[in-house]
Amino acid sequence: SQQGEEDPQALSIQEGENATMNCSYKTSINNLQWYRQNSGRGLVHLILIRSNEREKHSGRLRVTLDTSKKSSSLLITASRAADTASYFCATQDDKIIFGKGTRLHILP
Amino acid sequence: DTEVTQTPKHLVMGMTNKKSLKCEQHMGHRAMYWYKQKAKKPPELMFVYSYEKLSINESVPSRFSPECPNSSLLNLHLHALQPEDSALYLCASSSKGLGPWNGYTFGSGTRLTVV
């Protein structure tokens, strides 16, 4: 299975701090994606990093990919209350498989 | 239009009922997906349609029956469900094979409760 495994499962930080989530996967990939899900809602695509890329930025998001270690990290800088959500990494072959997710809670 | 619209948002049905979930997108995406998500779990793939043809069925029980009448519409017909089928059902679409890959676009889901 290519299912990603996020770490930590849950994370609580103060508003303004940076949040880092990690994802490990098992097999070779074409790309890795990160999604956000607010409670009970649909998923929102955040960022995609291709297997030949090592780092990508989008606003306050920074994603890294280490294919030799089969791992990725998502960094959210200067966190805000609105960042409270679950974050999933997803690997893609002919279909997207989601990891177990990290529940991020931003404390005021 | 950059949205995937799912209806209804909430559905309560009995185990003998027949109901349908609807998903619609007008982004010209030719791949559409059904996912099932239980509380505090990741979405699990159920079905994939590519160019209106079923391409992947993840061994889903026959009480779930997908249908893709046209390139914009995806239905999930439900019959004789069990209480354990209660979950959030998510529809997604992607521009697979057409233009740059930008990930999936998800609908807000249908919260299904089977009583």
Side-chain angles (χ1 to χ4, degrees), chain A residues 13-64:
Chain A
I13 61 172
Q14 294 293 137
E15 192 169 14
E17 294 180 340
N18 295 342
T20 300
M21 288 159 272
N22 302 299
C23 169
S24 60
Y25 56 92
K26 297 179 181 177
T27 62
S28 60
I29 58 172
N30 293 319
N31 63 67
L32 187 142
Q33 305 171 42
W34 285 91
Y35 288 81
R36 183 187 74 230
Q37 184 178 34
N38 293 87
S39 180
R41 305 295 300 278
L43 284 82
V44 175
H45 180 256
L46 295 176
I47 196 166
L48 179 152
I49 186 164
R50 300 188 188 283
S51 59
N52 61 352
E53 297 176 310
R54 291 297 168 259
E55 187 171 314
K56 202 162 184 178
H57 297 254
S58 177
R60 293 184 297 113
L61 305 180
R62 172 176 169 256
V63 169
T64 63

Side-chain angles (χ1 to χ4, degrees), chain B residues 55-115:
Chain B
S55 61
I56 295 176
N57 176 342
E58 290 288 296
S59 302
V60 179
S62 60
R63 58 185 184 269
F64 295 92
S65 176
E67 179 196 19
C68 190
N70 59 59
S71 60
S72 299
L73 190 58
L74 185 66
N75 298 319
L76 185 63
H77 302 298
L78 313 173
H79 174 56
L81 295 193
Q82 302 298 311
E84 59 264 29
D85 296 321
S86 298
L88 180 67
Y89 288 84
L90 294 162
C91 174
S93 69
S94 70
S95 60
K96 181 177 180 178
L98 295 174
W101 172 259
N102 289 317
Y104 286 11
T105 302
F106 277 85
S108 296
T110 294
R111 176 72 60 187
L112 175 68
T113 303
V114 181
V115 297

